[in-house]
Amino acid sequence: MVLDFVGTDPTLADSIEMAARGGTYALVGYGSLSAPATALVVDEGAVVGNLVGTWTDLWELLQLHARGRVTLRIETHPLAAVNDVLDRLREGAILGRAVLVSA
């Protein structure tokens, strides 16, 4: 399964390419996608959309957070540092989310 949290045509194309035969491409959240169905049909792939998981998943996550068992990890970086942030992301050096902000 390939999870896409961005939802753009380039991430769709990359995701379909990364998915194994018979694999699933999952768009999480909102996005806008268009793609020829050929790759999905030939490789017997599937596409699913999901906003946040099930409502039960969300409720359980909120309960874990309330008990202090889940910690949200967010790093903020200036937009000018985008290339450094992407390098760190590729290296697996970012735990959680990296958010780029304009000053």
Side-chain angles (χ1 to χ4, degrees):
M1 175 178 283
V2 178
L3 301 172
D4 181 356
F5 292 89
V6 178
T8 62
D9 287 343
T11 60
L12 168 63
D14 290 345
S15 298
I16 296 298
E17 186 177 322
M18 285 186 275
R21 181 173 179 81
T24 301
Y25 163 77
L27 173 61
V28 181
Y30 296 102
S32 176
L33 306 171
S34 62
T38 308
L40 290 170
V41 172
V42 169
D43 288 335
E44 300 177 348
V47 176
V48 297
N50 194 309
L51 182 56
V52 294
T54 66
W55 288 108
T56 302
D57 294 338
L58 180 58
W59 183 86
E60 289 174 355
L61 178 61
L62 290 172
Q63 298 306 307
L64 289 169
H65 177 70
R67 290 194 303 261
R69 305 221 19 225
V70 173
T71 303
L72 184 58
R73 296 180 181 177
I74 300 174
E75 300 178 11
T76 58
H77 303 274
L79 185 57
V82 64
N83 291 326
D84 294 332
V85 173
L86 287 172
D87 288 342
R88 290 188 57 227
L89 183 62
R90 286 183 194 104
E91 295 165 1
I94 293 178
L95 298 175
R97 298 281 185 172
V99 178
L100 298 170
V101 294
S102 60

